[in-house]
Amino acid sequence: MRGAPARAIQELAGHQDLTTTQRYMHLSPAAIEGAIRLLDQRGGGGNRGDMLETGVAAIGNSNL
């Protein structure tokens, strides 16, 4: 929750599987709201960061 990557926490905790680490990683409502605010921010740099529909679907990738 303090910005540490999940993979680093996994290694430090000694978990073999990232799923185990994620089971113990909980976000507070304030952290979720903060993430939403970050995603909703509009930058002044043109179209940078805008999502674009390409017609290609991600198939079989559960990490999205």
Side-chain angles (χ1 to χ4, degrees), residues 1-2 26-38:
M1 282 185 42
R2 293 184 179 177
H26 303 287
L27 290 178
S28 69
I32 293 171
E33 290 172 15
I36 291 170
R37 279 193 300 277
L38 284 173

Side-chain angles (χ1 to χ4, degrees), residues 3-4 7 11 14-15 20-21 26 29 33 37-38 42 54-57 64:
R7 294 280 294 155
E11 188 171 323
H15 298 152
T20 305
T21 307
H26 303 287
E33 290 172 15
R37 279 193 300 277
L38 284 173
R42 301 277 183 216
T54 63
V56 177
L64 293 177

Side-chain angles (χ1 to χ4, degrees), residues 6-17 20-22 24-25:
R7 294 280 294 155
I9 296 170
Q10 173 192 358
E11 188 171 323
L12 290 169
H15 298 152
Q16 290 183 349
D17 190 2
T20 305
T21 307
Q22 290 173 328
Y24 294 100
M25 294 175 67

Side-chain angles (χ1 to χ4, degrees), residues 44-62:
N47 291 334
R48 192 175 50 190
D50 289 350
M51 297 200 58
L52 192 46
E53 186 175 343
T54 63
V56 177
I59 298 174
N61 190 347
S62 62

